[in-house]
């Protein structure tokens, strides 16, 4: 089951904040966040694991509500380089190692 | 340099002509995976492998085959390509045999099937 991301797109001015949400209908083992520039490979941002463990970049923050099967990515004081499409990926509990990505959120940061 | 490489980067072929897209990683990673990316659909997992000789289907495996005979290589095989397999393909690898870790993506292979 593909996770649902919201919003689908967001436009910011440099320095503004944004929140990108990811929700699943199934119990999750982990949530993964990636950023992709047009035509390039996705780049790892963060992983949030069941139980509270997190791995990721210092300048990126995210939350994982296990009970609600939801995660949010927080982009603060946005920079032009933050522009791109953000994908969340989820691994559900139950033993499968399938990673299912959402359709993405397109973020545009303008000067 | 630690990296995931894919070849070819661009390929135009015709319906029914078998092709292989190679993927190789030099990081001694256990986990490898193939994704396809289509506009508006995001990244969809085709196959994944948790270790040598261990492969499993992702969400869209129809029309694809994979093999994992060596740890570093994970080729994607299209036995009889069709136009609906025109897409951007990414290979990825991760350090451990569980998906609770960072995935490193290759540069992508843009495939067009006429």
């Amino acid at each position: 089951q593909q996770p649902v991301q919201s919003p689908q797109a967001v436009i910011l001015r440099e320095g503004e904040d944004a929140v990108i949400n990811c929700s699943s209908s199934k119990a999750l083992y982990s949530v993964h966040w990636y950023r992709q520039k047009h035509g390039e490979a996705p780049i790892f941002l963060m992983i949030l694991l069941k139980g509270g463990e997190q791995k990721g970049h210092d300048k990126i923050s995210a939350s994982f509500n296990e009970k609600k099967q939801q995660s949010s990515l927080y982009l603060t004081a946005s920079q032009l380089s933050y522009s791109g499409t953000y994908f969340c990926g989820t691994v559900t509990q139950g033993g499968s190692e399938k990673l299912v990505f959402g359709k993405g959120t397109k973020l545009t940061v303008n000067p | 340099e630690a990296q995931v490489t894919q070849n070819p980067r661009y390929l135009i072929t015709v319906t029914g002509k078998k092709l292989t897209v190679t993927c190789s990683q030099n990081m001694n990673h256990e986990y490898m995976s193939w994704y396809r990316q289509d506009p508006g659909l995001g990244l969809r997992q085709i196959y994944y492998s948790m270790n040598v000789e261990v492969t499993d289907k992702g969400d869209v495996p129809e029309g694809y085959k994979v093999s994992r005979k060596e740890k570093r290589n994970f080729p994607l095989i299209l036995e009889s390509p069709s136009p609906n397999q025109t897409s951007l393909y990414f290979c990825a690898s991760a350090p451990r045999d569980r998906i609770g870790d960072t995935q490193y993506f290759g540069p992508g292979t843009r495939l067009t099937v006429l």
Side-chain angles (χ1 to χ4, degrees):
Chain A
Q1 185 95 20
Q2 191 173 36
V4 177
Q5 290 186 232
S6 62
Q8 291 183 354
V10 59
I11 300 174
L12 301 174
R13 285 191 180 274
E14 208 171 357
E16 292 181 337
D17 302 337
V19 180
I20 300 173
N21 301 302
C22 176
S23 65
S24 173
S25 59
K26 297 187 176 182
L28 298 176
Y29 168 74
S30 62
V31 180
H32 304 230
W33 288 98
Y34 287 80
R35 177 172 61 216
Q36 185 182 32
K37 304 278 187 178
H38 182 69
E40 298 180 6
I43 300 296
F44 167 77
L45 295 177
M46 178 162 284
I47 288 178
L48 303 103
L49 297 163
K50 181 175 179 291
E53 184 181 358
Q54 295 187 5
K55 305 176 190 178
H57 292 290
D58 292 339
K59 296 186 178 181
I60 300 287
S61 65
S63 64
F64 179 20
N65 186 324
E66 294 176 36
K67 288 184 179 179
K68 293 185 176 180
Q69 292 102 243
Q70 294 176 346
S71 177
S72 295
L73 184 71
Y74 304 98
L75 302 168
T76 57
S78 59
Q79 304 172 17
L80 297 177
S81 61
Y82 287 11
S83 292
T85 300
Y86 289 76
F87 292 98
C88 77
T90 56
V91 179
T92 56
Q93 294 185 37
S96 166
E97 301 301 317
K98 281 199 297 186
L99 177 61
V100 183
F101 283 95
K103 294 183 179 181
T105 295
K106 186 174 182 180
L107 175 71
T108 303
V109 181
N110 292 319
Chain B
E1 181 189 354
Q3 59 183 349
V4 179
T5 57
Q6 295 178 226
N7 282 293
R9 294 288 314 279
Y10 302 90
L11 179 60
I12 300 174
T13 189
V14 295
T15 299
K17 186 176 181 182
K18 180 179 178 179
L19 66 93
T20 299
V21 183
T22 63
C23 173
S24 182
Q25 50 92 4
N26 61 1
M27 296 170 278
N28 202 36
H29 285 174
E30 303 277 351
Y31 185 99
M32 296 187 75
S33 181
W34 275 103
Y35 299 88
R36 63 176 288 173
Q37 186 172 31
D38 303 288
L41 297 179
L43 290 152
R44 294 181 292 168
Q45 192 173 42
I46 303 170
Y47 271 94
Y48 62 94
S49 169
M50 290 192 286
N51 213 326
V52 175
E53 302 294 358
V54 180
T55 62
D56 212 339
K57 296 177 181 179
D59 274 345
V60 288
E62 295 79 21
Y64 304 95
K65 286 176 60 177
V66 292
S67 68
R68 188 92 182 273
K69 296 178 181 176
E70 304 169 280
K71 198 172 188 178
R72 63 182 293 130
N73 296 323
F74 191 44
L76 179 69
I77 303 158
L78 285 72
E79 294 270 2
S80 183
S82 62
N84 64 12
Q85 292 179 298
T86 292
S87 188
L88 177 59
Y89 291 86
F90 288 103
C91 178
S93 70
R96 287 190 289 251
D97 62 353
R98 292 220 67 191
I99 191 54
D101 217 321
T102 307
Q103 281 197 100
Y104 297 83
F105 281 80
T109 295
R110 189 167 291 280
L111 173 65
T112 301
V113 183
L114 302 174

